[in-house]
């Protein structure tokens, strides 16, 4: 297998060939395609949280990790508290975190270094592009140690500090998150709250916040009182994307309702894509959706649709204002638009087999892939994070992408998420995840879901497809050459027609 270094040694211009799966042009040599690792960062980035306990650092770390993985940046979270729990099996009390507890300090330093060693392994060996180091990191000494570690390993460092002085927000965070921690599994609520408040006091005496003058050479964002104010300092492209994301998230309780349009005429015919209208059952679903939304009595509900006929027809029945987003349009199937899967398999056997081999990265000829769709939907996710209660009426592939973001699904899982017609998914964001409720509205519809094929079937289909394509290519080549040879033989003795003179 050729790599980029081998190509660099060749001074002549490189030949290009189109990758059959993703339809992108790539360098090749002697018939071999160079395997290039796609990297969205110019060097590995280490994100470091800063702040007192119960300030939402882990909430930020988990959301950020989920977002970056969703947009295609391999990211992993390293929670130092988890390393401490593995090292010290039984948590006794807040005194473990006392500045005077030498043994506790030694253990905490050991755990931090163990986490950093795993960060090095992930970013330098395992192909990760971003690591999130989730800890308090409240002293300038600790942060200098992390910066030195990053410099030695060629990593960029970006600090994310969460500062909160609102006692209600802190109390809410303790009740919602910290009481469920393994540290307090055997404590009652009052004991746990009292101990955790004392744990916070242990950190307050040595806390040194990021300072815009003393730390002016560092890259950081300072989030104050859960997003009321921000301070941003020295950011590059990837860090600016992180900043933009963090400035859009909020903790206001809300629900996100996702559903597909009502059943369409093309759904009934088993044809993909297109821009057909609703079937009779699709219109019945739209009426049922209106009744469901009215019964929920949702405060200040916003409604979004795509710009395609079937979603707009569904929204029209609700009798409320709605906003159309072109970004929410269904995945573009290119030359396969309005075809049945059986027709695609017959006319484009190689394309059909390639899609089953890697459904997320496969791009339809003159169309899109799920990977393309995720990039198209990133502005939608940003705006969804800003909104409160909202209903999104969309399409199967689009709904899968949105659902994968909120449920933290991998690229491999995403294209096979089940999003049936005439079913509403109610998503309620929680501290470290998302609650999902599936509500079937009682109107029958066709099943448009295709299960993941078995690996052996994929391999067999791909082999057959390649053979079919090769036979077809050879046949076309032979026919074309026969035509050429006949023309060469006949042209010297054949006079052109009078009309050509």
């Amino acid at each position: 297998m050729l790599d980029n270094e081998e190509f660099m040694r060749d001074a002549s211009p490189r030949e290009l060939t189109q990758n059959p799966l993703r339809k992108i042009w790539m360098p090749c040599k002697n018939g071999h395609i160079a395997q290039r690792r796609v990297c969205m960062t110019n060097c590995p980035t280490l994100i470091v949280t800063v702040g007192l306990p119960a300030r939402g650092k882990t909430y930020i770390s988990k959301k950020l990790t989920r977002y970056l993985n969703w947009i295609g940046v391999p990211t992993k979270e390293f929670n130092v508290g988890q390393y401490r729990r593995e090292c010290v099996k039984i948590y006794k009390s807040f005194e473990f975190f006392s500045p005077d507890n030498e043994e506790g300090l030694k253990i905490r330093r050991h755990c931090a270094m163990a986490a950093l060693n795993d960060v090095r392994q992930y970013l330098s060996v395992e192909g990760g592009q971003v690591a999130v180091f989730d800890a308090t990191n409240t002293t300038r000494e600790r942060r200098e140690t992390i910066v030195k570690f990053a410099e030695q390993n060629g990593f960029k460092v970006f600090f994310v500090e969460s500062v909160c002085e609102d006692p209600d927000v802190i109390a809410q965070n303790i009740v919602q998150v910290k009481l469920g921690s393994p540290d307090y599994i055997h404590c009652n609520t009052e004991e746990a709250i009292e101990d955790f408040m004392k744990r916070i006091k242990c950190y307050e005496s040595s806390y040194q916040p990021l300072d815009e003058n003393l730390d002016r050479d560092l890259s950081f964002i300072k989030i104050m009182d859960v997003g009321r104010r921000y301070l941003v300092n020295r950011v590059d492209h990837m860090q600016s994307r992180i900043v933009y994301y963090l400035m859009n998230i909020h903790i206001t309780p809300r629900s996100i309702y996702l559903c597909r349009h009502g059943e369409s005429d093309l759904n009934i015919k088993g044809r993909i894509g297109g821009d057909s209208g609703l079937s009779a059952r699709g219109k019945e679903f739209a009426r049922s959706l209106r009744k469901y939304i009215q019964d929920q009595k949702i405060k200040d509900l916003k409604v979004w649709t795509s710009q395609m006929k079937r979603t707009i027809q569904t929204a029209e029945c609700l009798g409320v204002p709605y906003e159309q987003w072109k970004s929410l349009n269904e995945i573009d199937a290119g030359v396969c638009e309005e075809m049945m899967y059986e027709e695609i398999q017959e006319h484009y056997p190689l394309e059909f087999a390639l899609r089953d081999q890697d459904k997320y990265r496969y791009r339809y000829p003159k169309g899109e892939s799920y990977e393309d769709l995720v990039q198209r939907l990133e502005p939608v996710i940003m705006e969804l994070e800003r909104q409160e209660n909202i209903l999104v009426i969309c399409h199967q592939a689009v709904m899968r992408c949105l659902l994968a973001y909120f449920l933290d699904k991998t690229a491999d899982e995403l294209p096979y998420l089940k999003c049936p017609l005439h079913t509403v998914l109610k998503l309620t964001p929680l501290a470290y995840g998302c609650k999902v409720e599936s509500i079937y509205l009682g109107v029958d519809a066709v099943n448009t879901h295709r299960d993941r094929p078995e690996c052996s079937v994929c391999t067999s289909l791909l082999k057959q497809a390649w053979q079919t394509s090769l036979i077809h290519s050879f046949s076309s080549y032979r026919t074309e050459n026969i035509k050429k040879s006949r023309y060469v033989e006949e042209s010297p003795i054949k006079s052109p027609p009078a009309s050509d003179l």
Side-chain angles (χ1 to χ4, degrees):
M1 191 64 69
L2 299 173
D3 59 20
N4 286 339
E5 290 182 8
E6 186 172 339
F7 280 120
M8 291 299 290
R9 292 195 291 268
D10 189 352
S12 61
R14 296 183 286 182
E15 294 180 1
L16 299 178
T17 191
Q18 196 175 58
N19 178 296
L21 181 77
R22 304 174 73 177
K23 311 296 185 292
I24 56 177
W25 291 98
M26 301 181 71
C28 74
K29 189 172 184 179
N30 300 327
H32 295 283
I33 298 176
Q35 297 302 307
R36 296 182 301 173
R37 177 169 163 249
V38 177
C39 186
M40 297 181 71
T41 57
N42 52 16
C43 81
T45 297
L46 174 58
I47 298 173
V48 181
T49 62
V50 177
L52 294 170
R55 264 56 177 185
K57 298 184 302 300
T58 299
Y59 169 79
I60 290 170
S61 298
K62 289 185 178 295
K63 286 209 71 156
L64 201 47
T65 300
R66 173 159 57 89
Y67 162 69
L68 291 172
N69 278 315
W70 184 76
I71 64 171
V73 181
T75 305
K76 188 174 180 180
E77 175 199 10
F78 297 83
N79 182 282
V80 177
Q82 189 58 39
Y83 283 78
R84 187 259 304 165
R85 292 184 192 98
E86 291 173 3
C87 182
V88 181
K89 300 298 182 183
I90 300 175
Y91 172 77
K92 294 181 180 179
S93 75
F94 72 93
E95 292 177 352
F96 176 84
F97 297 94
S98 171
D100 301 325
N101 187 338
E102 291 294 333
E103 184 180 356
L105 284 170
K106 184 178 178 181
I107 292 172
R108 285 154 58 200
R109 287 195 195 99
H110 168 77
C111 293
M113 292 312 299
L116 286 176
N117 285 333
D118 287 347
V119 165
R120 181 194 292 117
Q121 174 73 15
Y122 177 67
L123 294 180
S124 300
V125 180
E126 297 175 14
Q129 294 178 22
V130 175
V132 183
F133 187 72
D134 179 19
T136 54
N137 301 309
T138 48
T139 65
R140 194 158 279 110
E141 179 187 1
R142 167 66 68 83
R143 297 196 290 270
E144 287 172 355
T145 299
I146 294 170
V147 169
K148 185 177 180 181
F149 161 84
E151 289 173 348
Q152 290 171 344
N153 289 279
F155 307 150
K156 285 187 176 181
V157 181
F158 183 61
F159 291 98
V160 177
E161 182 175 26
S162 180
V163 179
C164 184
E165 303 299 335
D166 188 330
D168 292 335
V169 173
I170 296 170
Q172 185 181 25
N173 192 19
I174 292 173
V175 171
Q176 288 185 350
V177 178
K178 302 304 179 183
L179 297 188
S181 165
D183 292 345
Y184 299 110
I185 197 168
H186 299 299
C187 296
N188 62 44
T189 301
E190 291 75 16
E191 290 173 343
I193 292 175
E194 182 183 0
D195 183 87
F196 198 85
M197 293 303 293
K198 289 179 179 177
R199 187 196 295 195
I200 294 174
K201 291 290 183 184
C202 291
Y203 282 94
E204 286 178 341
S205 59
S206 59
Y207 180 28
Q208 298 170 301
L210 287 166
D211 185 275
E212 56 184 309
N213 293 315
L214 294 175
D215 299 307
R216 60 183 176 274
D217 294 330
L218 299 179
S219 297
F220 66 82
I221 177 174
K222 197 180 183 85
I223 305 169
M224 287 158 274
D225 289 326
V226 203
R228 288 179 185 161
R229 289 189 300 127
Y230 302 90
L231 175 64
V232 179
N233 191 67
R234 296 176 64 94
V235 296
D236 64 15
H237 171 67
M238 177 52 65
Q239 292 163 1
S240 69
R241 292 182 72 173
I242 292 168
V243 165
Y244 183 58
Y245 177 74
L246 293 176
M247 291 177 72
N248 279 285
I249 63 176
H250 64 84
I251 59 171
T252 305
R254 43 87 178 252
S255 290
I256 299 163
Y257 299 83
L258 301 178
C259 75
R260 293 170 63 185
H261 51 81
E263 179 188 70
S264 72
D265 294 328
L266 286 177
N267 287 149
I268 293 175
K269 297 173 183 177
R271 297 188 177 278
I272 65 174
D275 195 17
S276 64
L278 297 182
S279 68
R281 293 188 301 194
K283 293 173 183 176
E284 185 183 350
F285 164 74
R287 292 189 290 270
S288 298
L289 180 62
R290 175 175 182 161
K291 184 178 184 304
Y292 169 76
I293 294 298
Q294 288 175 341
D295 291 346
Q296 295 300 300
K297 295 180 171 58
I298 306 163
K299 183 182 177 183
D300 299 326
L301 179 70
K302 290 188 177 180
V303 179
W304 292 353
T305 74
S306 72
Q307 291 186 351
M308 308 195 87
K309 185 177 181 181
R310 51 197 184 273
T311 64
I312 295 169
Q313 278 186 308
T314 305
E316 274 291 320
C317 202
L318 300 180
V320 299
Y322 58 89
E323 184 178 342
Q324 296 179 25
W325 284 66
K326 187 175 182 180
S327 300
L328 288 171
N329 283 3
E330 179 61 302
I331 189 170
D332 184 353
V335 299
C336 299
E337 280 283 315
E338 298 193 26
M339 292 180 71
M340 299 171 67
Y341 284 117
E342 294 80 5
E343 292 173 342
I344 298 172
Q345 189 171 15
E346 179 184 351
H347 296 289
Y348 303 105
L350 181 57
E351 297 297 331
F352 186 84
L354 284 169
R355 189 166 191 264
D356 278 348
Q357 185 189 43
D358 188 348
K359 193 174 178 181
Y360 180 77
R361 293 171 184 83
Y362 169 81
R363 179 179 286 140
Y364 282 105
K366 299 183 180 179
E368 291 180 301
S369 65
Y370 272 93
E371 190 173 34
D372 296 329
L373 191 53
V374 163
Q375 300 304 316
R376 166 150 64 91
L377 288 169
E378 187 179 0
V380 176
I381 287 295
M382 287 293 182
E383 192 58 30
L384 276 175
E385 285 290 1
R386 290 169 55 86
Q387 297 295 327
E388 295 183 15
N389 296 320
I390 189 162
L391 166 64
V392 182
I393 304 172
C394 53
H395 307 267
Q396 181 168 248
V398 171
M399 190 167 166
R400 282 171 173 162
C401 293
L402 299 178
L403 200 57
Y405 167 77
F406 286 106
L407 301 187
D408 198 16
K409 298 296 183 181
T410 65
D412 189 49
E413 296 171 305
L414 184 154
Y416 297 100
L417 294 176
K418 291 187 177 180
C419 300
L421 287 164
H422 300 176
T423 300
V424 177
L425 296 184
K426 179 182 178 182
L427 310 181
T428 306
L430 304 174
Y432 295 161
C434 193
K435 178 185 175 184
V436 185
E437 299 171 70
S438 178
I439 302 100
Y440 171 59
L441 297 191
V443 181
D444 289 341
V446 295
N447 179 15
T448 60
H449 182 82
R450 287 185 73 239
D451 289 326
R452 183 197 300 270
E454 296 180 7
C455 290
S456 57
V457 175
C458 282
T459 304
S460 176
L461 283 173
L462 190 58
K463 186 176 180 181
Q464 291 173 20
W466 273 114
Q467 290 172 345
T468 303
S469 297
L470 287 171
I471 291 169
H472 181 267
S473 298
F474 176 74
S475 177
S476 300
Y477 172 81
R478 187 170 179 271
T479 302
E480 193 64 31
N481 275 275
I482 289 171
K483 288 179 180 177
K484 287 179 180 178
S485 64
R486 283 178 180 169
Y487 174 77
V488 171
E489 290 172 4
E490 294 173 2
S491 58
I493 59 175
K494 187 176 180 180
S495 299
S499 61
D500 290 345
L501 293 175

